[in-house]
Amino acid sequence: MRKSRFFCLALACFLAIVVIFVFDGYLGVYDSATIKAGEFTQEIPAGSWPTGSYPYSVSSQSDQKIFFTYRIDNRWFTAYRKTVIVSLWQQNQKVADLYSQTLEIQPFKKATAEWTADPADLNLGVFQQEQFTVRIEQDGSIREVIIISFYLPVTETGVPKAIPVPPPIR
Amino acid sequence: MRLRVYILYGFGIITSIGGVSLLAAQYIRFISEPVKLVLLLLVVALFFCLGRYFEEIGW
């Protein structure tokens, strides 16, 4: 009996570790995002949202749309019902609303929300370089993504003009 | 013959620990910081209890 006491304790520790992994590591509600700006796609995996003063940043040309796909994975035994509100901010002032919808996700199911940030629709015009914050709000939680938008001047394309040959030096 | 058995046991133990570690690494990033500390203490307790158990059975 005494010999198996430590074995039972070790087994109890192992089971406790497994239970913690299941309940704290797997179960819960997880959100992730995919941002496509130009030809670049950036993933923000669940559990990797930065907290504090260094949010994710995405660079984009000011005349290109930015496509957002936001996924919520409900790994819990009850349905998850939350209103997702997405807005665009600049210098702590709201510039535009991008998305607002109430999502109801059944237990162990996923839901996806998609929206597009289009500089043309936002009436932002052409700018040299500006920064925006996309704020994704659910009840009680805020996710932020910084957009660094830059302007590339459009160059005229066409047949290159022939350079005149300089006259010979005498 | 006996050496080969030990090698196979060792291989099995290493691959088992490696597999469990790989699976655990997938989920450990979702675990909150205080619970990570609890997990660390539990792992220490687990190895302590296993060590005492093997000591008592005469290994």
Side-chain angles (χ1 to χ4, degrees):
Chain A
M1 182 63 195
R2 185 177 154 72
K3 277 183 184 174
S4 63
R5 185 183 60 178
F6 282 107
F7 181 76
C8 291
L9 280 173
L11 200 62
C13 288
F14 178 74
L15 289 176
I17 290 168
V18 171
V19 167
I20 283 175
F21 262 80
V22 170
F23 275 88
D24 201 54
Y26 178 75
L27 296 177
V29 178
Y30 296 93
D31 58 339
S32 58
T34 305
I35 304 163
K36 187 168 173 60
E39 294 306 308
F40 292 97
T41 304
Q42 195 165 344
E43 287 274 346
I44 307 175
S48 299
W49 290 92
T51 52
S53 41
Y54 295 100
Y56 263 93
S57 64
V58 177
S59 294
S60 166
Q61 274 181 241
S62 59
D63 57 344
Q64 285 182 335
K65 293 179 182 176
I66 305 166
F67 301 94
F68 289 83
T69 306
Y70 183 66
R71 287 173 299 275
I72 302 174
D73 188 359
N74 180 21
R75 299 179 196 163
W76 197 247
F77 304 102
T78 54
Y80 181 82
R81 184 185 165 85
K82 284 284 165 73
T83 303
V84 178
I85 300 168
V86 184
S87 50
L88 193 69
W89 293 68
Q90 190 178 37
Q91 293 188 346
N92 229 15
Q93 286 194 329
K94 190 192 277 188
V95 178
D97 288 312
L98 296 176
Y99 180 88
S100 176
Q101 198 168 331
T102 302
L103 298 175
E104 182 158 357
I105 312 165
Q106 295 307 309
F108 297 98
K109 298 282 180 190
K110 295 177 186 177
T112 303
E114 291 181 322
W115 65 88
T116 306
D118 188 352
D121 291 346
L122 299 173
N123 199 22
L124 299 172
V126 175
F127 31 78
Q128 288 296 320
Q129 181 175 347
E130 296 208 40
Q131 295 182 4
F132 300 94
T133 302
V134 174
R135 192 173 285 180
I136 306 164
E137 292 176 66
Q138 292 181 59
D139 300 343
S141 83
I142 295 177
R143 307 291 197 200
E144 288 188 338
V145 177
I146 304 289
I147 295 175
I148 302 168
S149 184
F150 58 89
Y151 170 64
L152 275 185
V154 179
T155 53
E156 285 185 18
T157 55
V159 181
K161 292 175 183 172
I163 300 170
V165 181
I169 301 167
R170 294 179 181 173
Chain B
M1 186 66 189
R2 191 162 191 147
L3 181 67
R4 187 187 291 176
V5 171
Y6 283 142
I7 289 171
L8 283 174
Y9 269 129
F11 183 71
I13 289 167
I14 288 168
T15 47
S16 299
I17 291 172
V20 171
S21 306
L22 190 69
L23 288 174
Q26 300 291 317
Y27 294 103
I28 203 158
R29 60 200 169 104
F30 297 127
I31 290 173
S32 54
E33 293 299 321
V35 179
K36 276 182 192 170
L37 180 64
V38 173
L39 277 176
L40 179 67
L41 295 174
L42 279 172
V43 169
V44 171
L46 172 72
F47 282 114
F48 172 77
C49 292
L50 273 181
R52 288 299 296 268
Y53 170 69
F54 286 126
E55 189 184 340
E56 287 188 352
I57 63 172
W59 273 36

